Amino acid sequence: MSRLRDLALGLSLTLAALPAAGEVAFVTCQNGDAVSVVDLDTGTERARWEVPGKPAGVAVGKDAVFTVSPDSKTVRRFSLRGEVSASITLDGGPIGAAYDARHDRLFVSDWYNARLWALDGTTLEVQAELPAGAAPAGLGLSQDGTLLAAAERDADRVSLYDTETLARLRSVSVGTRPFGLGFAPDGRLFVGNVGSNDVTVSDPASGEVLATVPVGERPYGVAFAAGRAFVTNQYENTLSVIALADLSPVATLETGEYPEGISATADGRIAVANWFDNTLSVIDAASLETVAVLETADGPRAFGAFLFGGDLP
């Protein structure tokens, strides 16, 4: 078995040197201290990067991949080929990440100290610290990049920030223990509440809660495609599918064991990291069929925006 794994790793490293187009997933694998670089179009693991410190949070920019390793408190900036160009060790509990391309800035949540860091996207130097509620976790940017949202798990709320001024604009009460979140294409904010097994939908401009939508047990991440929201349910090994038009339930789909991170491709597929299965499920957002199950390193979390669309160098 170890020889087969070595051969597979050698093949993936060879593939990493070849040009490619399409969607590539940069999957943080916490148990394996690694990032699996998975080509969704060919179904191959193109490379496996060593990332010490049990990486969980991830954010992908136009020419870089950022990882957050909670155990070592380390944030790293990788080139798309896997070279580390910058790193920083922070003094709190870094976990979630979101990259602001408009300002070349990386936001990182501090689970222990109720704050967010704003880091320079090139050097990772600390530019500012933003106050947050208790245990901030998931971070997300609006479609136009003007708003940052932070899910504050132990405060049962979400805070919204202006990415230009870094001022906190407002806080919105949501369900119990919000963790992952995302902005829908129409601007609404969807927040998965792991304690109350529902999703809070709000208007980020006004702070008004528009709806609370029941989903499966322990909802973790959310993504959008084909006019639908897709929510990973950790304890049920499922995805809840919600119609964006009226927030009605569409379907419940089976995934691998303990689904966590989720992102949508440009061409209408949903990629789901299954932590306990060491796999990435790829689902057609229109037909709702699973079109591929791809292997990753041990313990994929992919907590953040982990997909890259385009040619790798």
Side-chain angles (χ1 to χ4, degrees):
M1 182 63 70
S2 62
R3 177 174 172 78
L4 290 176
R5 289 182 182 275
D6 291 341
L7 289 172
L9 179 57
L11 176 60
S12 69
L13 291 173
T14 300
L15 288 168
L18 301 176
E23 296 278 349
V24 177
F26 293 90
V27 182
T28 45
C29 298
Q30 193 164 46
N31 301 348
D33 287 312
V35 165
S36 281
V37 183
V38 181
D39 189 318
L40 300 189
D41 297 320
T42 65
T44 57
E45 185 184 32
R46 293 170 51 84
R48 188 173 292 184
W49 303 344
E50 182 180 349
V51 188
K54 308 301 178 187
V58 62
V60 176
K62 63 179 181 180
D63 60 359
V65 178
F66 303 90
T67 64
V68 181
S69 296
D71 279 22
S72 63
K73 305 179 187 295
T74 305
V75 178
R76 295 178 176 88
R77 183 188 192 276
F78 290 85
S79 73
L80 295 176
R81 292 188 64 87
E83 300 96 349
V84 177
S85 59
S87 66
I88 185 172
T89 300
L90 301 170
D91 62 350
I95 180 168
Y99 177 67
D100 174 6
R102 295 171 70 241
H103 303 97
D104 188 26
R105 181 182 290 138
L106 182 71
F107 294 101
V108 178
S109 54
D110 183 355
W111 180 263
Y112 296 143
N113 295 303
R115 64 179 169 178
L116 312 179
W117 289 281
L119 308 179
D120 184 280
T122 301
T123 66
L124 297 183
E125 294 179 358
V126 176
Q127 295 180 333
E129 294 183 5
L130 315 182
L139 302 176
L141 288 162
S142 60
Q143 299 287 323
D144 62 5
T146 61
L147 292 176
L148 170 72
E152 299 163 346
R153 195 197 71 162
D154 290 355
D156 295 338
R157 72 180 195 186
V158 170
S159 284
L160 291 144
Y161 302 81
D162 185 315
T163 58
E164 187 70 37
T165 65
L166 301 182
R168 181 161 57 181
L169 301 175
R170 63 189 57 84
S171 296
V172 180
S173 295
V174 294
T176 305
R177 297 195 171 187
F179 203 85
L181 47 72
F183 286 89
D186 63 9
R188 289 176 294 174
L189 180 61
F190 285 61
V191 183
N193 304 303
V194 300
S196 49
N197 297 331
D198 52 31
V199 171
T200 301
V201 183
S202 67
D203 178 353
S206 66
E208 178 187 2
V209 173
L210 304 174
T212 301
V213 183
V215 290
E217 190 173 0
R218 202 175 175 94
Y220 184 89
V222 59
F224 307 92
R228 296 160 171 169
F230 295 79
V231 182
T232 51
N233 302 311
Q234 289 175 314
Y235 284 10
E236 287 188 2
N237 306 328
T238 63
L239 276 182
S240 290
V241 186
I242 302 164
L244 291 179
D246 59 6
L247 300 180
S248 63
V250 174
T252 300
L253 310 179
E254 293 186 1
T255 63
E257 189 175 2
Y258 218 84
E260 291 214 337
I262 181 171
S263 285
T265 69
D267 64 358
R269 290 172 291 169
I270 298 292
V272 180
N274 303 304
W275 187 10
F276 289 0
D277 270 358
N278 300 338
T279 61
L280 193 69
S281 296
V282 183
I283 297 164
D284 185 299
S287 69
L288 303 182
E289 295 180 354
T290 298
V291 296
V293 178
L294 310 177
E295 293 187 2
T296 68
D298 190 14
R301 302 292 304 277
F303 185 40
F306 60 89
L307 295 184
F308 174 82
D311 294 332
L312 290 181

